[in-house]
Amino acid sequence: MRHSRLRLPLCLLFTSLSVGAFAANEFTRDSGAPVGDNQNSQTAGADGPVLLQDAHLIEKLQRFDRERIPERVVHARGTGAYGTFEPTADITDLTRAEVFKSGTSTPVFVRFSTVMGYRGSPEQARDPRGFAVKFYTTQGNWDMVGINVPVFFIRDAIKFPDFVHANKPSAVTGVQDPNLAFDFFAHSPEATNMLTHMYSLEGMPDSYRHMNGSAVHAFKFVNAQGEVHYVKFAWKTQQGLHSLEPGQVSESIGKDPNMMTNDLYGAINKGDFPKWDLYVQVLKPSELGQFAFNALDDTKVWTGVAERKVGTMTLNKVPDNYFESTEESAFAPSRLVPGIEASEDRMLQGRLFAYADTQMYRLGANYQQIPVNQPRNKVSNNSQDGAMNSSGRKGEVNYEPSGIAEIPQDPQYKYASTPVSGVTQQLAIKKQANFLQAGEYYRALSSKEKGLLIEALSGDLNHVTNESNKYAMLSYFYKADPDYGTRLAKATHADIKRVDTAAKALAN
Ligand code: HEM
C-alpha cells in the first residue's frame, strides 16, 4: 500500500526537500523526475488492473526489454581492463607515432576474449585468446587487435566467414562440432601451423595474465622522413607463461567457468597489476623476400629476425561498468595513427573493412562517441548526424572546400607511398610453405609438451567421423614432421601407410 505523505514524518521531509534541491542519489525516472515507489505499480483500486498512466512502470519495462545488443559475431566472451603504456626505447628513427615518444604515458583499454563461444560461454576453450589494446594517443586512437599466438589459421579474408561458420556452434544443433571444424581444416592446409600452436600448451593459458600477445600481421612503421619499415608487434607477459594441461580443462570448467576474468580482476583489485613488454621485429621493404615463405602471410612468424623491446603496458583498473566499457568497446585494425600503417597482408586488408562495419551495426553509426571508444584528443571533420549523435559539432560549414571555414589538413600526415605492379588477379600467394613452421614449432617443444599436444589434438581428431578428412589432417601433421604425424596416427588408430602416401602427394 502507498504511504500517505501526510501521515509519515519521513515523507514530510521528502516533501520539504523536493521544494528546493532534490536530494542526491534519490531514485528517478530517466527524465530525472523523482520516483515515489519503485516496488508497487499504480492500480485501479485494490483489485483492479494496472494503469497505463504509470509512466515509471512502462519506462522501466521498456528499458529492460531493450537491454541486449547483438553480441560480437566472434570474440563475444570478453573481459576488459584499463591501464597505461610507456615506451622504453627511442624508435623515432622508425616511426613518428607519438605513443613511442620518450617520456609519454598513454592510457589504454584492453579486452581479452575467446573467439567462438557465446557471450556467457566458459573461458577455458581450445580457442585463440583475443588480446585487443586501444591506445588513446595524443594523435588519435591506435587499436592493436591481436591474439595470444603469433600466427593465424588462414591467409585470405575471403575465407574468414567460412572458417568461423565451421568452428562456431553447428547451424543445426547449436553445439560446436569437431567434424565440421576439421572438414574446413582438411581443405585448408595453411592452418597446420596455427592448429599446432592451438593444441599445444600455448593454446590453453590458465589466465589472461599468463599469456603473450601478438598483432600477427605485419604493419608499417613510417618515420618523419616518410621512410617505411615493415614491423611485427608482440606482447610478452612479465607474469610468466602458465597453461592448463588437456586433462585439467574439464575440471577447471567445472570449478569456475569464469576463471580468466576472476583471475584478472582479482589480481588488479588487490594491486597486483599485470604487465606486458612490447617487442617489435623490423624489416626493410627490400628484406621481405628473404624467407622461404611470403613475409606478409599471417600463417607465418618471421624466423631469425631480432626482437627489440620498445615499451611496457600495465593494467591497473577494473572498469566500473561492464556493458559501457567491455561490451561497448570497439577495436579495429584500421584504427591507426600517423607513423603506423597497414601492410599488404591479405587477411589484414579484409580486417581493415570488417571491424568498423560490424561496429556500426552492433553499436550504431556514432559508436566512436561512446566514452570507451572516444579519442582523448579533439575530433574535427565534416561527418555529422546519424542515430544518437551527440558530438557537439558546431558551425554550418559542414563541407569542403570552403573559403569561409575550412578545417586545415597537414600534408605530412598523408599515407606513405607503396610501389605496386602487375595486373588485377585472383590467385593464391606464392611460397605457401604450409607445413614448414608447424614442423619447426613441433621439434622445438620438450618431450612432455609434445606428448600433451598429441593428447589434445588426437582427442578432437578422434571425433572426426569422415575418414578422408581425418587422413587429410593426419597427412598435414605428418608432412610437418614425420614423428608428429606418426604419433597422431597411432593415437587415432589410423593406417600409417595411408598417411605417408597422402603426405607424399602434398606440395611443400
Ligand atoms: C579477415 C579476417 C578477420 C575478420 C573478417 C575478422 C572479423 C572480426 C569481427 C567482425 C569482430 C567483431 C568486432 C566487434 O564486434 O567489435 C572481430 C573481433 C576480433 N578479432 Fe577478428 N577478424 C579477422 C581475423 C582476425 C585475426 C587474424 C585476429 C588476430 C590477429 C583477430 C582478432 C580479433 C580480436 C582480438 C577481436 C575481439 C576484439 C574485441 O575484444 O572487441 N581477428 N573480428
Side-chain angles (χ1 to χ4, degrees), residues 308-342:
R308 185 166 162 191
K309 182 177 156 188
V310 294
T312 301
M313 175 172 76
T314 307
L315 296 184
N316 54 23
K317 187 175 180 302
V318 172
D320 297 328
N321 183 316
Y322 177 83
F323 186 86
E324 289 180 22
S325 295
T326 305
E327 198 57 23
E328 290 196 312
S329 59
F331 301 84
S334 57
R335 213 151 288 137
L336 300 168
V337 289
I340 306 169
E341 296 190 17

Side-chain angles (χ1 to χ4, degrees), residues 71-75 78 111-113 129-132 145-147 149 151-152 154 156-158 160-161 214-217 298 326 329-331 346-348 350-351 354-355 358-359 362-363:
E71 66 174 34
R72 287 165 174 80
V73 65
V74 280
H75 293 263
R111 184 172 177 273
F112 298 114
S113 51
R129 300 295 184 281
F131 194 134
V145 198
I147 47 177
V149 293
V151 290
F152 202 67
I154 49 172
D156 190 321
I158 203 165
F160 190 77
S214 168
V216 177
H217 313 283
D298 70 345
T326 305
S329 59
F331 301 84
R346 293 180 184 189
M347 273 288 280
L348 175 60
R351 296 181 74 200
Y355 288 68
T358 197
Q359 286 150 8
R362 183 167 74 80
L363 300 163

